[in-house]
Amino acid sequence: MAKIVPFKAVRPTRDKVCLVTCRSYEEYVNAELAAQLDFNPLSFLHILKPAYTNQETVSFEKRYRQVHQKYEDFKNEIILVKDKKPAIYIHKIVTKTQSFTGIIVGTSVADYCNNIIKKHEDIIAFRVRLLKDYMKYSEFNTEPVLMTYPDNKTIENWIFNCIQKLADFEFSTTKKEIHYLWKIEDALEINWLQNIFEKTQSLYIADGHHRTEALKLLSEENDNPQNTAKNHILSYLISENNIKIYEFNRLVKDLNGFTKEAFLQELQKEFIIEDKLQQAFQPSRKHEFGMYLDHSFYSLNLRNENEIFETSLDRLDTQILYKKVLLPILAIEDLRDDERIEYLSGKQSILELQNKIDQEEFEIGFILFPSNIEEIKALADADLIMPPKSTYIEPKFRSGLVVYEL
């Protein structure tokens, strides 16, 4: 039931690809961003931030039109070139510890509206409108929505055979990742893959909920029936067993007026607490939590191990921590906007969490066990929403590698 389509991608030329592609704009600290913009004239960051050399304050619309103009400049200078035939693309990322391989295609906005493409995260309306306007005026999208499909041996074997051929692109990044891209433009092969996905009941958004919703709005505003590009979502489809899900750990600035002793007494009503002293502790299973407070690590285990959870949301560790600790004891109601709480991805060492607390930026930290794909699917199937900052999911796609024109 899931529909996929090929498209004519705009891509860097082979000799320039390692200089053009970049990480997502938000991932750069200011000094690194400035260095890229100052010393690499081919970086896609010049498209994403075209006013860098002219730091005037402009409206969103004017800035987005500048993005489009800079994008056109890159095409005119033959830095970016549009493929002549519609194609699908296989992309492989090899890091120091693992590799990811997926398929870049267009998926259907209608499938998203009809819940064939399923979501598990909440969205912020203002951010969605900004993204919609950005894509409307820039007229392109270069950040695919990461979606998972059920493990499929037929697709796995097909990908394996495809990637035995010489890649169209092969390049390394400063993060010591190796990227490969293969273009598949044979019509019979594409049709065969489309038929495979038509038998797939659902696709699940892993990362890119705001972008998907923005593309839905853009499609609804489309008054040109000839422009079918706006009816599709640039997507990176990856097998469920090939994504990596990290937790987001929680840092809180105070104990809501409790002393350490009184706080621990409150915790003991719901958790069995074990003081690990200076031994860094990381949970090894669901419903087990780590905590760092006053130079000591603690393990927290639910006191009622046989507690009955009514929904898949209630069983989530992030929801358990919210319902039993953050809300009733620490009075943190809004996980997204409360200034007393911040988040640290599980990709970062818990020693960084320890360091932030020891330096008195925060008073307490909570360490979680990561969610899994089955929990994400259960939530999506039940039309439930994860708490904010529940998962950090890889792979992450590089901007400028594949551009989808709208």
Side-chain angles (χ1 to χ4, degrees):
M1 288 191 288
K3 300 178 183 66
I4 65 169
V5 297
F7 63 100
K8 296 179 183 178
V10 176
R11 300 182 291 138
T13 56
R14 187 183 179 91
D15 61 316
K16 300 180 179 70
V17 61
C18 63
L19 294 171
V20 173
T21 66
C22 63
R23 304 196 307 276
S24 177
Y25 175 78
E26 291 84 3
E27 290 187 29
Y28 290 88
V29 297
N30 289 337
E32 189 180 15
L33 179 64
Q36 282 286 318
L37 291 167
D38 281 337
F39 301 112
N40 181 4
L42 298 180
S43 173
F44 203 83
L45 288 168
H46 286 284
I47 295 174
L48 301 177
K49 194 173 177 63
Y52 171 69
T53 55
N54 181 17
Q55 297 288 343
E56 59 177 313
T57 302
V58 297
S59 67
F60 285 126
E61 181 178 339
K62 184 175 180 181
R63 177 174 175 264
Y64 299 158
R65 291 189 185 278
Q66 289 175 340
V67 169
H68 174 73
Q69 184 55 56
K70 192 65 177 178
Y71 170 68
E72 290 296 323
D73 291 345
F74 267 50
K75 288 202 295 181
N76 291 334
E77 294 168 15
I78 320 297
I79 300 169
L80 299 172
V81 177
K82 188 168 185 174
D83 286 336
K84 294 180 179 179
K85 292 176 62 177
I88 57 178
Y89 305 84
I90 297 173
H91 181 220
K92 182 176 181 179
I93 307 169
V94 180
T95 72
K96 288 180 283 188
T97 57
Q98 60 200 74
S99 68
F100 306 97
T101 306
I103 309 165
I104 306 169
V105 295
T107 57
S108 169
V109 170
D111 281 356
Y112 175 66
C113 295
N114 294 327
N115 206 33
I116 294 170
I117 295 173
K118 298 189 176 187
K119 62 183 180 180
H120 69 269
E121 286 186 7
D122 205 357
I123 55 172
I124 304 170
F126 174 70
R127 185 178 170 192
V128 169
R129 288 194 299 272
L130 280 182
L131 275 171
K132 184 266 295 179
D133 289 342
Y134 177 85
M135 289 186 284
K136 175 181 177 180
Y137 294 114
S138 67
E139 300 182 27
F140 71 81
N141 179 19
T142 188
E143 294 187 18
V145 175
L146 181 65
M147 300 185 191
T148 67
Y149 59 85
D151 300 341
N152 186 307
K153 195 67 177 178
T154 301
I155 297 175
E156 185 179 325
N157 289 337
W158 173 77
I159 290 176
F160 176 80
N161 289 329
C162 288
I163 66 177
Q164 302 313 303
K165 305 169 188 175
L166 180 67
D168 288 67
F169 289 157
E170 177 183 350
F171 65 96
S172 297
T173 72
T174 55
K175 293 291 183 180
K176 298 182 180 178
E177 298 174 345
I178 306 173
H179 289 254
Y180 303 86
L181 189 78
W182 291 266
K183 178 173 65 172
I184 311 297
E185 56 185 6
D186 180 79
L188 291 176
E189 210 164 353
I190 292 170
N191 185 62
W192 172 84
L193 190 65
Q194 288 174 316
N195 289 334
I196 294 288
F197 274 99
E198 282 180 4
K199 299 172 186 175
T200 302
Q201 187 172 358
S202 299
L203 300 174
Y204 293 85
I205 300 173
D207 191 21
H209 287 77
H210 286 85
R211 190 163 298 275
T212 308
E213 188 69 19
L215 286 161
K216 174 190 169 186
L217 294 184
L218 193 63
S219 176
E220 290 170 350
E221 289 184 3
N222 183 20
D223 55 5
N224 179 9
Q226 302 301 316
N227 184 357
T228 58
K230 287 188 173 68
N231 297 331
H232 297 98
I233 304 160
L234 177 64
S235 303
Y236 186 45
L237 306 184
I238 191 165
S239 174
E240 290 172 0
N241 66 5
N242 196 209
I243 64 168
K244 176 66 176 177
I245 304 174
Y246 296 90
E247 73 280 9
F248 265 109
N249 297 317
R250 275 77 169 122
L251 291 151
V252 182
K253 292 186 176 179
D254 59 70
L255 294 181
N256 190 34
F258 286 96
T259 63
K260 172 186 171 181
E261 292 72 22
F263 175 75
L264 291 174
Q265 284 181 354
E266 287 295 315
L267 271 188
Q268 284 178 338
K269 296 176 183 177
E270 296 283 359
F271 297 93
I272 299 170
I273 304 173
E274 182 180 349
D275 191 344
K276 300 288 185 178
L277 303 176
Q278 290 297 306
Q279 177 187 346
F281 176 76
Q282 197 134 13
S284 59
R285 59 184 175 85
K286 305 300 296 181
H287 302 168
E288 181 179 54
F289 303 85
M291 183 175 75
Y292 186 70
L293 172 65
D294 191 24
H295 305 289
S296 289
F297 284 94
Y298 298 82
S299 69
L300 309 178
N301 285 277
L302 279 177
R303 189 168 289 281
N304 182 6
E305 290 187 4
N306 298 317
E307 183 171 348
I308 297 174
F309 299 105
E310 295 183 359
T311 69
S312 52
L313 176 61
D314 294 330
R315 284 190 290 272
L316 274 183
D317 282 354
T318 49
Q319 185 72 353
I320 291 171
L321 185 68
Y322 174 66
K323 288 291 188 180
K324 294 184 180 296
V325 182
L326 299 179
L327 178 61
I329 304 177
L330 297 178
I332 295 175
E333 183 173 352
D334 189 338
L335 291 173
R336 195 181 296 278
D337 294 325
D338 195 313
E339 294 181 352
R340 294 168 56 224
I341 187 169
E342 290 188 18
Y343 304 89
L344 198 65
S345 132
K347 281 203 73 175
Q348 298 170 272
S349 169
I350 60 171
L351 298 180
E352 186 163 344
L353 176 144
Q354 179 184 14
N355 186 52
K356 286 178 177 288
I357 294 169
D358 287 346
Q359 291 183 352
E360 300 184 353
E361 294 179 50
F362 300 90
E363 191 161 355
I364 189 169
F366 296 97
I367 306 151
L368 287 85
F369 188 76
S371 296
N372 58 52
I373 187 62
E374 294 305 323
E375 289 179 308
I376 290 174
K377 289 172 63 178
L379 281 165
D381 288 339
D383 293 324
L384 295 172
I385 299 299
M386 269 189 166
K389 296 292 186 181
S390 288
T391 57
Y392 178 91
I393 299 180
E394 288 185 333
K396 300 296 183 185
F397 203 83
R398 287 180 74 81
S399 296
L401 179 61
V402 170
V403 183
Y404 181 92
E405 293 191 326
L406 294 162

